[in-house]
Amino acid sequence: MTKSLLGLFAAASLAVLAACSETPAGEDAPPADAGEINLYSSRHYDTDLALYDDFTKATGIKVNRIEADADALIERIQSEGEFSPADLLITVDAGRLWRAEEAGIFASVDSPVLKERLPSHLRHPDGLWFGLSTRARIIIYNKAKGVPEGLTSYADLAKPAFKGQICVRSSSNIYNISLLSSVIAHKGAAEAEKWAKGVVANFARAPEGNDTSNIDAVASGECRISVVNTYYLARYAGDPEKKAVFDAIGVIFPDQDGTGTHVNISGAGLVKTAPNRANAIKFLEYLTEEKAQRYFADGNNEYPAVIGLKANSAVEKLGTFKPDTLNAAEIGKGQAEAVKIFDRAGWK
Ligand code: FE
């Protein structure tokens, strides 16, 4: 089969998907010649739809979406090979962006706009991907049990004083892998392993559930301490029905006197084989405009990545903090080592 024929099939299948999922046609039909972009995304928030609509209204460029989990999308782009209709891959966590980078699916983008708007630690050094929003992995505690004395850093979680007090999700979770990867980057593998073993020794129970269920466990007093992503707690802050849970929780932004609190990103990269390269770069730049940043960050209660923009009011309730400025690419690189260390430490 010829490349153009295959491309046609791919485009047709995307068009069907787009037709199923987009707002009804008829209002402000885009100019027929502005083209399109094909977005492979593991994000699916309602606000993202407004984000895409606004882009189409402003540029006439149609946005076709394929949504699946990140690993499935990476595999799909790989198996589609040079005929892939994918222009951009959007996903969460530096670990997943790193997997995409390792799979060789990204092309370098050199955009003065993106360089100016995004701090350097939130974009790949060679422009392979760009962070668009951030989340921090914070320590939380049960207020009724009192402020845990001497707990101000991730390192402190390994102190014997907190024996039997920590609940956390499994080490197979990418957020924990990325956190440990950042410890490796800052302190080396040997220290990171010592730390992981110390935290395991302080577990109140075997790792289980997700960040949300661990927030609930801390609020109910089942555990005193946990480590969770900010947006899960911000969801509770913004939900009147969850106010009691939120009020029961104290927040510690770790390492404020040191390297700063571990942050991770949602980000996007240009696919190497992108058939609509120029439009895709235009879209990437659009995502860093203030209004787009609002939609993008608010969709999941995250922090905007662009310098100078604030988070929404629910997120702000968690407090302000100094973020770790370790480049997300470094967090990606340590993933394999982190998995091995978790294994040896017995963090299930
Ligand atoms: Fe999450």
Side-chain angles (χ1 to χ4, degrees), residues 114 272 312 333:
L114 294 174
K272 197 168 58 180
N312 70 34
K333 276 181 208 154

Side-chain angles (χ1 to χ4, degrees), residues 71 92-102 129 137 171-185 189 192 262-265 326-344:
D71 290 331
V92 295
D93 202 284
R96 295 203 182 93
L97 289 165
W98 175 78
R99 281 178 202 164
E101 183 188 337
E102 283 290 287
W129 44 253
R137 199 145 179 80
S171 69
S172 63
N173 171 257
I174 199 154
Y175 309 144
N176 285 338
I177 296 171
S178 290
L179 172 61
L180 182 55
S181 182
S182 78
V183 177
I184 296 170
H262 170 69
V263 293
N264 213 317
I265 56 176
L326 182 70
N327 191 289
E330 291 299 316
I331 297 170
K333 276 181 208 154
Q335 303 271 309
E337 177 90 65
V339 169
K340 283 185 214 153
I341 289 176
F342 272 140
D343 235 33
R344 289 198 294 269

Side-chain angles (χ1 to χ4, degrees), residues 135 169 175 229 231-232:
R135 64 278 295 283
R169 73 195 297 177
Y175 309 144
N229 283 354
Y231 56 90
Y232 293 109

Side-chain angles (χ1 to χ4, degrees), residues 199-258:
V199 178
V200 169
N202 289 341
F203 281 168
R205 63 180 188 195
E208 65 169 68
N210 51 29
D211 284 5
T212 302
S213 68
N214 280 291
I215 290 172
D216 292 341
V218 170
S220 73
E222 187 184 344
C223 326
R224 187 180 186 193
I225 297 161
S226 188
V227 181
V228 300
N229 283 354
T230 38
Y231 56 90
Y232 293 109
L233 194 58
R235 259 177 223 168
Y236 280 13
D239 179 355
E241 281 180 26
K242 290 284 188 180
K243 193 176 178 305
V245 176
F246 180 73
D247 288 345
I249 302 264
V251 171
I252 295 168
F253 284 100
D255 292 273
Q256 294 304 283
D257 296 330

Side-chain angles (χ1 to χ4, degrees), residues 248-321:
I249 302 264
V251 171
I252 295 168
F253 284 100
D255 292 273
Q256 294 304 283
D257 296 330
T259 47
T261 298
H262 170 69
V263 293
N264 213 317
I265 56 176
S266 291
L270 178 73
V271 177
K272 197 168 58 180
T273 50
N276 306 293
R277 190 186 159 93
N279 282 353
I281 294 173
K282 225 182 254 183
F283 185 71
L284 271 177
E285 291 175 346
Y286 160 77
L287 288 177
T288 63
E289 286 173 17
E290 183 166 358
K291 191 175 170 197
Q293 278 281 289
R294 273 274 74 83
Y295 283 133
F296 201 88
D298 289 353
N300 189 31
N301 287 302
E302 292 184 87
Y303 301 91
V306 166
I307 297 164
L309 299 183
K310 282 177 141 188
N312 70 34
S313 60
V315 181
E316 294 250 294
K317 279 186 192 157
L318 306 185
T320 55
F321 68 104

